[in-house]
């Protein structure tokens, strides 16, 4: 070691204190607006089922139909991989995990639809359907057959359907309360939001419900569907979606892109309405930037090309869905919509291939970062955060196993959570 350097300063401590005091309000605003990812599991998809079609057996039925499609149109790992272009070394593990997922947990997020998929109905009919949905959802959570996340999409806050949307929300939530309370996996989806004031109105509805039932303030969150051009660019030229997140007052959990409503809104012809259209890319890029750091997650939309009919048509639809899902994952849209049971095999195939093909590289890079944590490193904490998030998402959806990640990284699940946290301060690591 050489001679110890003399350290000299020119400023008094009062300067630092004054600067810190001047930024107190900014510090508080940053903490409020940008708390970072909540660290909870994000489902890889959302399945929408019309309110009148939802039954106690819906989830199992979707899984069985997906398995039937797989058995009929790609009965083994080699044929499934050949259809989708999955690398040979991943063909068996991906195929096996897809089958296991369809048997164990075919749907990660279920939305019972009372909007476009349900349509206008007599008031008494929708009342009964909403009450029935609440009863079945409560029973599913009680007996362990519910999807990890479940809820409804009500009608929007536009004048023509506003009262109906408010009533359906009330009937559904009241039914859950009478059946024992709100489940932890409850999700509400507010569609066709055009102005931030509509978000504020929905917040007021939820606040009133919480007060009526003595629930903690902020207990009920919701997703915002982005389906109109005005939700991306407001009349004054500002990004309305950012204002919508703020209008939710901490209740917004997700932004869901509505492929077909948004495409139609900006004039895209029906034949070209797809989640990879440039108009869709622009909307989702704005959503992504607006949501970054807020804890609000972004979801891609869907494809309306269904994997039905003869095998060649099913394969064509599968390749399209697989490609769109892989494209979304590469762009950090980790969730999307699935509209048909036969979409499930390709949803999970795309997700599992995405995480398994990058497992060894991500694990090695994170392990190297940890090993060099006390010395000279090229990767930054932000990189370790991204690598940990990648591995955690893979574990949560079933693409990866905790044990194999621990073997490759030397890290426990708690360690990964720690690295992924935006508030991580040190490098405390425990043995797996």
């Amino acid at each position: 070691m050489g001679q110890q350097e003399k350290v000299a300063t020119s400023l008094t401590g009062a300067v630092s204190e004054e600067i810190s005091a001047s930024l107190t309000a900014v510090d508080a605003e940053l903490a409020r607006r940008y708390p970072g990812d909540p660290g909870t599991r994000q489902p890889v998809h959302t399945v929408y089922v019309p309110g009148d079609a939802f039954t106690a057996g819906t989830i199992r039925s979707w899984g069985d139909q997906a398995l039937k499609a797989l058995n009929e149109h790609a009965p083994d790992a080699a044929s499934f991989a050949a259809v989708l272009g999955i690398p040979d070394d991943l063909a068996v593990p991906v195929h096996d995990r897809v089958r296991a997922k369809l048997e164990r947990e075919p749907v990660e997020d279920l939305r019972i639809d009372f909007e476009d998929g349900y349509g206008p109905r007599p008031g008494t009919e929708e009342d009964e359907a909403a009450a029935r949905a609440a009863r079945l959802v409560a029973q599913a959570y009680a007996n362990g057959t519910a999807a990890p996340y479940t809820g409804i999409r009500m009608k929007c806050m536009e004048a023509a359907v506003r009262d109906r949307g408010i009533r359906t929300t009330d009937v559904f939530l009241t039914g859950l309360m009478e059946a024992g309370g709100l489940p932890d996996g409850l999700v509400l989806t507010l569609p066709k939001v055009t102005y931030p004031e509509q978000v504020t109105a929905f917040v007021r509805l939820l606040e009133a419900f919480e007060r009526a039932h003595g629930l903690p303030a902020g207990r009920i969150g919701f997703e915002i569907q982005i389906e109109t051009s005005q939700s991306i660019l407001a009349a004054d030229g500002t990004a309305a979606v950012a204002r919508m997140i703020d209008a939710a007052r901490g209740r917004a959990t997700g932004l869901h892109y509505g492929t077909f409503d948004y495409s139609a809104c900006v004039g895209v012809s029906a034949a070209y309405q797809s989640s990879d259209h440039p108009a869709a890319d622009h909307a989702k890029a704005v959503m992504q930037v607006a949501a970054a750091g807020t804890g609000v997650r972004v979801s891609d939309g869907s494809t309306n090309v269904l994997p039905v009919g003869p095998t060649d048509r099913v394969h064509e639809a599968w390749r399209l869905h697989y490609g769109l899902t892989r494209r979304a994952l590469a762009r950090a849209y980790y969730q999307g919509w699935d509209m048909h049971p036969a979409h499930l095999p390709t949803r999970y195939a795309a997700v599992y291939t995405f995480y398994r093909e990058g497992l060894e590289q991500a694990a090695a890079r994170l392990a190297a970062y940890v090993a060099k944590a006390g010395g000279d490193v090229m990767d930054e904490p932000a990189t370790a955060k991204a690598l940990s998030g990648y591995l955690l998402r893979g574990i949560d959806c079933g693409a990866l196993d905790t044990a194999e990640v621990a073997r490759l990284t030397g890290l426990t699940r708690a360690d990964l959570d720690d690295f992924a946290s935006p508030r991580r301060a040190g490098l405390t690591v425990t043995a797996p």
Side-chain angles (χ1 to χ4, degrees), residues 39-44 101 105 108 148-149 297 396-398 413:
T40 55
R41 174 183 180 181
Q42 180 179 11
V44 302
K101 180 73 168 181
E105 187 185 74
E108 291 195 357
Y149 297 93
R297 285 146 167 183
D396 285 342
C397 71
R413 171 67 191 245

Side-chain angles (χ1 to χ4, degrees), residues 355-380:
Y355 289 113
R356 293 209 66 81
E357 69 186 7
L359 167 60
E360 292 191 5
Q361 182 182 36
R365 193 170 173 184
L366 184 57
Y369 177 86
V370 173
K372 298 175 182 178
D376 187 17
V377 297
M378 293 186 66
D379 279 337
E380 298 183 356

Side-chain angles (χ1 to χ4, degrees), residues 261-275:
D261 281 284
Y262 187 89
S263 297
C265 183
V266 297
V268 179
S269 298
Y272 298 96
Q273 293 179 354
S274 175
S275 62

